[in-house]
Amino acid sequence: MATILAIESSCDEMSVAILKDEKELLANVVASQIDIHKQYGGVVPEIASRKHVECVSTVLKEALRTANITIDDVDAIAVTKGPGLVGSLHVGMQEAKTLAIATNKPLIGVHHIAGHIYANAIENTIHYPCLALVVSGGHTELVYMKSEFNFEVVGTTYDDAIGEAYDKVGRVLHLPYPGGPEIDRMAHLGEHTYDLPVPLLDDSYNFSFSGLKSAVINLNHKFEQRGEEVRKNDLACTFQDVAVEVLSTKAIKAAVDLNVKEIIVAGGVSANKGLREKMAKSPVPVIFPPMKYCTDNAAMIASAASVMYRHKKFSELDISVKPHYDLEEESVG
């Protein structure tokens, strides 16, 4: 067992967490930039990385203070190496390398999606083989895991990720950024009254959300041309119903076909109430991460790194950040 200090800075959150013996979370400090990026309707990469530089030392000090330990009590330094915004990733990586060199501790570079998946392990026990439904702003994937930290991507999106589709629909409806949580809230106030296409509901495990997104944009445009007002709650409800139907149907089909013990949902969209309600009807057991671990945070990176530490999967000090890393290549064994 080990105490892991982890840094997550892949997008617009700077976070430092300290996890002991894989389950005891001593600290998870998150500095969010949502209020800053709201005025632009999305994350501005240059601003995100600049703000990370400003706060990384403060967040680190606060995490150590909250955990009531010193850096010498830590066994390894973990950091997100990608995917993500390169500028933002660099800030976390340089901080992690500096700490590893200064303290002579091993460095663990963690794949961001592996972190999201293992957010489920902080307060739950993952049973293998399992299927991970990864749903976030940049990813929509089905990942088969026959054993611990063994990844096989069996399905992915051909175009938009589900979180990206939510945010684009949110902009069409003139909702504040991020649009996903607001659409989820509105969906529970509306009714499924509009006609939207069900995207790529076939026998594959792959997804496509660009057509659904375009259908919402076109429908809203037609109403505007006629001088009519679209019922936003109803449109949000219809869009969400269609989206989560596809996600759940394909995840359950894959889980049954692959004979897994459970489905684990990972990524920011795992906080979506509509998806949680739909997946609750699955014949295959489903686990979700606690709401506080759904969006980007360092606790999930520490959780994945704890498993990597047991398998002695360490990184060299010349490790580089990348906007894209192959999840399957992160597998152990």
Side-chain angles (χ1 to χ4, degrees):
M1 294 297 189
T3 298
I4 307 293
L5 185 147
I7 301 171
E8 152 62 22
S9 66
S10 62
C11 193
D12 60 334
E13 277 95 11
M14 168 57 68
S15 179
V16 176
I18 300 170
L19 183 66
K20 181 179 179 181
D21 298 340
E22 300 192 20
K23 295 291 185 181
E24 185 180 355
L25 188 62
L26 304 181
N28 187 33
V29 180
V30 181
S32 176
Q33 300 176 16
I34 285 182
D35 290 341
I36 296 172
H37 296 283
K38 270 184 179 179
Q39 59 187 309
Y40 303 105
V43 176
V44 181
E46 293 82 0
I47 294 176
S49 57
R50 193 178 308 132
K51 291 298 180 182
H52 286 339
V53 172
E54 293 176 2
C55 73
V56 59
S57 295
T58 302
V59 175
L60 173 62
K61 290 176 182 177
E62 179 61 20
L64 289 169
R65 188 198 64 79
T66 301
N68 194 29
I69 65 171
T70 69
I71 194 67
D72 292 330
D73 298 316
V74 172
D75 294 299
I77 309 296
V79 63
T80 304
K81 63 180 183 180
L85 303 177
V86 171
S88 293
L89 288 166
H90 267 301
V91 179
M93 180 61 75
Q94 295 311 309
E95 182 75 4
K97 286 184 177 181
T98 300
L99 290 173
I101 292 171
T103 61
N104 197 30
K105 308 285 186 182
L107 180 67
I108 303 175
V110 180
H111 193 291
H112 185 71
I113 297 305
H116 273 304
I117 290 173
Y118 277 90
N120 285 277
I122 300 174
E123 296 184 8
N124 295 297
T125 298
I126 298 176
H127 300 94
Y128 303 96
C130 67
L131 181 79
L133 170 62
V134 179
V135 280
S136 68
H139 300 267
T140 304
E141 297 173 341
L142 289 172
V143 182
Y144 173 64
M145 300 173 65
K146 66 180 179 182
S147 58
E148 181 179 73
F149 228 81
N150 189 293
F151 309 105
E152 180 185 351
V153 178
V154 296
T156 187
T157 177
Y158 289 134
D159 39 64
D160 292 352
I162 183 60
E164 181 184 3
Y166 263 90
D167 284 340
K168 288 179 178 176
V169 169
R171 282 197 288 273
V172 170
L173 297 180
H174 306 293
L175 303 178
Y177 171 83
E182 186 65 14
I183 291 175
D184 188 23
R185 183 192 67 81
M186 293 167 61
H188 286 82
L189 300 175
E191 296 181 358
H192 189 139
T193 57
Y194 291 107
D195 184 22
L196 293 176
V198 179
L200 203 67
L201 192 59
D202 57 11
D203 289 334
S204 78
Y205 303 147
N206 296 313
F207 303 92
S208 172
F209 293 103
S210 63
L212 176 60
K213 172 203 66 183
S214 297
V216 173
I217 293 173
N218 292 336
L219 180 63
N220 187 69
H221 182 61
K222 287 178 182 178
F223 272 85
E224 289 180 346
Q225 285 186 318
R226 297 175 190 154
E228 301 175 6
E229 187 172 342
V230 69
R231 299 184 304 278
K232 291 186 177 181
N233 288 347
D234 289 349
L235 185 54
C237 178
T238 306
F239 166 75
Q240 177 153 293
D241 278 357
V242 173
V244 301
E245 175 67 27
V246 172
L247 288 170
S248 61
T249 298
K250 296 215 167 193
I252 293 169
K253 171 181 167 49
V256 171
D257 290 350
L258 296 169
N259 194 29
V260 301
K261 292 182 179 179
E262 65 187 9
I263 300 170
I264 58 177
V265 187
V269 184
S270 64
N272 184 277
K273 184 179 177 182
L275 180 60
R276 287 178 175 241
E277 291 168 347
K278 191 70 176 178
M279 292 300 294
K281 302 174 183 178
S282 167
V284 180
V286 181
I287 61 172
F288 283 82
M291 295 294 283
K292 58 187 175 183
Y293 304 136
C294 290
T295 53
D296 292 350
N297 65 90
M300 69 185 199
I301 302 302
S303 181
S306 295
V307 179
M308 296 171 73
Y309 184 91
R310 277 196 284 106
H311 289 275
K312 295 180 171 52
K313 192 174 175 63
F314 302 124
S315 303
E316 299 296 332
L317 288 172
D318 62 354
I319 183 177
S320 299
V321 301
K322 292 181 183 178
H324 301 288
Y325 266 104
D326 187 340
L327 178 63
E328 293 187 348
E329 292 183 359
E330 301 302 310
S331 300
V332 299

